[in-house]
Amino acid sequence: IHFTPHQDLTSASVQAGKPTPKPWPQTEIIIIIMTVASSKNGTCRKKFRMAALDLDGTLLNSNHDVSDATVAHLRDLHARGFVVAIATGRSAACTAHIIEKLDLNHGITDADGDVTGFPLVCTNGARGLRVGKSFSDVDEDLPPKKNSYSNPFLKRTLVIDEELFHDPLSKDLTLKTLALAHRLGCVTNYYHDHNIYAAVRNDDQMELTKRYARLTGSSELYRYLNNDEEEEDNEGNAYGYERAMAMGPPSKLLMLCPTERLDEITDLVRAELNGDDDAVPSNDNTQSQQRQQHQANVIRGTPPFFVEILDPSVHKGHGLRRLCESVDVPLEEVIAFGDGDNDLEFIRMAGWGVAMKNGREEVKDASDEVCRWSNDEDGVIKTLQQYELEGKLLFPKMMGGME
């Protein structure tokens, strides 16, 4: 129906012998338009029983912490059976203090009534874990010491209940990436087990590792690889990472670089490892086929001072899908919250993808909805509160089943 709000219909109505209609106030038209367009890609009529949350720039504020209001609300949702999971680029050990603070009983109740570990996707989808609470007598001041997956402790009283999956880099990709970083003058974080290995060769590189440690709270996890000053870094000693490679393959590699060089280095890494076709959108069918042929998944970091390199099959969406299988929640019943380039597949593959107000434009374009609030405004819980009021969240009933 085409209607002009204040069109004069009097003469036409009189001639037709009909009552004169009252004009439709323009404010009413505006209200209807706003209601229909409340979500970027239309009104959401789905219902969800799990939220998968990115950390930096999403759940965490600019101080890299989670607010007390967020903790309280997530505990309330969890207590009523709503599943809360973390999906992050950080290593497992770098998420431990966040999981400790959330303290969601460190798990969910499965179909048999047993409590299983807190669901965690880490290192950008390369690794999936169930994290539980240990009641052993653990010295709170001691960081993890062992360099082995046989050591389940993350931090203090948190343990790995179960490793669901792990897809590290191949030896060939690892060596090629380390050689490229050496040529570009970048220091590389090598992630194995709980530790981050770095072969620092100058003060600028050391400062970049310290900046990353402050961001992720990982100072005690760094293991610096010092070489003999007379020994030159080369392929023979894995460009200074020979001892790290002897420990085992990395879950991911992360090149640290100055912010002003990030875009240049990201493009160079993509061109070197994958050719120049890496710009095809990752939700395109062609991109899925190309990724199988690529040697690496290369991600521009957020905050912008690093580039991440993963196995070509690995991304957060891949990790989320495998995690959902383990907790028996369909992807279509998951809300994913994210802000950075590493959240693109994660946002696209979930049943409903929410980009933070402070997120990258590419992520907003890929999302189903752009959050009205930033990470500094508790955007995650405010959105979940809104969804609950709208009846979009599912909770187990007291006697079983779903409401």
Side-chain angles (χ1 to χ4, degrees):
I1 299 173
H2 297 280
F3 183 75
T4 304
H6 293 287
Q7 184 178 357
D8 184 3
L9 302 179
T10 304
S11 57
S13 300
V14 170
Q15 292 173 7
K18 298 178 181 179
T20 302
K22 294 182 180 179
W24 190 2
Q26 192 168 2
T27 53
E28 294 186 52
I29 296 177
I30 293 173
I31 291 171
I32 290 175
I33 291 173
M34 288 179 68
T35 302
V36 172
S38 60
S39 294
K40 182 168 68 69
N41 293 336
T43 301
C44 172
R45 294 182 176 86
K46 298 180 181 180
K47 293 195 175 186
F48 309 95
R49 55 189 174 113
M50 173 173 163
L53 312 174
D54 170 55
L55 289 182
D56 297 287
T58 302
L59 187 67
L60 305 186
N61 56 33
S62 296
N63 293 322
H64 316 304
D65 196 9
V66 56
S67 73
D68 291 341
T70 292
V71 171
H73 190 68
L74 292 182
R75 285 179 183 172
D76 175 64
L77 292 177
H78 174 78
R80 290 183 281 151
F82 188 78
V83 181
V84 177
I86 287 174
T88 178
R90 296 183 180 210
S91 67
C94 290
T95 68
H97 62 291
I98 303 299
I99 296 174
E100 278 187 323
K101 185 169 182 177
L102 291 177
D103 194 22
L104 305 181
N105 296 325
H106 301 288
I108 59 173
T109 303
D110 63 18
D112 298 323
D114 298 323
V115 176
T116 60
F118 181 88
L120 170 67
V121 173
C122 54
T123 50
N124 272 328
R127 199 176 179 203
L129 304 170
R130 294 285 187 86
V131 178
K133 182 179 287 188
S134 168
F135 297 96
S136 301
D137 184 14
V138 179
D139 189 335
E140 294 188 355
D141 296 326
L142 288 178
K145 293 294 185 184
K146 295 182 182 178
N147 297 311
S148 166
Y149 287 110
S150 64
N151 173 24
F153 287 99
L154 288 181
K155 184 179 181 182
R156 298 181 181 174
T157 57
L158 289 185
V159 297
I160 297 173
D161 278 347
E162 181 183 2
E163 182 170 77
L164 303 171
F165 57 87
H166 185 216
D167 299 309
L169 279 70
S170 68
K171 181 178 179 180
D172 182 67
L173 176 56
T174 299
L175 284 171
K176 189 168 185 178
T177 302
L178 293 173
L180 178 58
H182 175 71
R183 195 168 78 237
L184 294 173
C186 296
V187 61
T188 301
N189 282 351
Y190 185 111
Y191 290 79
H192 176 72
D193 194 10
H194 302 320
N195 297 327
I196 304 171
Y197 296 90
V200 171
R201 298 299 179 251
N202 56 55
D203 291 342
D204 290 340
Q205 291 183 357
M206 178 60 78
E207 180 52 39
L208 285 169
T209 63
K210 289 182 176 179
R211 179 182 176 188
Y212 187 82
R214 289 192 297 269
L215 170 68
T216 58
S218 57
S219 297
E220 73 275 14
L221 304 176
Y222 264 95
R223 302 292 181 265
Y224 289 102
L225 303 167
N226 298 319
N227 67 345
D228 188 327
E229 292 184 2
E230 296 180 0
E231 182 183 10
E232 183 180 350
D233 292 336
N234 53 45
E235 186 176 359
N237 62 15
Y239 303 94
Y241 288 81
E242 186 175 18
R243 282 194 291 135
M245 290 193 69
M247 297 287 182
S251 299
K252 73 172 182 178
L253 296 173
L254 185 148
M255 286 189 201
L256 295 160
C257 62
T259 298
E260 61 271 16
R261 293 193 63 199
L262 178 62
D263 290 329
E264 169 204 352
I265 288 177
T266 302
D267 291 342
L268 285 170
V269 173
R270 283 177 174 159
E272 181 81 14
L273 297 181
N274 295 329
D276 295 325
D277 55 359
D278 215 28
V280 179
S282 58
N283 64 338
D284 190 285
N285 290 332
T286 306
Q287 175 72 1
S288 298
Q289 297 170 1
Q290 288 174 348
R291 181 164 282 164
Q292 298 304 313
Q293 301 171 358
H294 284 172
Q295 292 191 43
N297 181 14
V298 180
I299 304 171
R300 180 187 187 275
T302 304
F305 69 102
F306 56 87
V307 183
E308 301 195 49
I309 298 91
L310 300 158
D311 178 89
S313 68
V314 169
H315 51 73
K316 270 196 192 179
H318 158 91
L320 177 63
R321 182 181 67 247
R322 295 180 71 175
L323 184 73
C324 285
E325 292 170 358
S326 78
V327 298
D328 197 26
V329 175
L331 266 173
E332 56 267 24
E333 293 184 6
V334 177
I335 310 167
F337 289 82
D339 73 301
D341 287 3
N342 63 331
D343 295 315
L344 283 169
E345 294 91 350
F346 175 63
I347 288 287
R348 288 178 176 130
M349 290 179 65
W352 194 253
V354 181
M356 302 301 291
K357 179 182 177 181
N358 52 287
R360 298 253 303 159
E361 288 304 315
E362 293 88 342
V363 182
K364 292 178 180 179
D365 290 342
S367 69
D368 296 298
E369 183 173 356
V370 177
C371 183
R372 292 165 52 194
W373 304 278
S374 73
N375 62 318
D376 285 327
E377 300 170 306
D378 290 331
V380 168
I381 62 164
K382 287 181 180 177
T383 302
L384 290 174
Q385 288 167 343
Q386 175 186 320
Y387 288 171
E388 184 174 358
L389 288 173
E390 294 169 355
K392 295 175 183 174
L393 302 189
L394 292 170
F395 303 93
K397 291 182 178 178
M398 295 299 293
M399 299 303 293
M402 304 296 292
E403 66 176 15

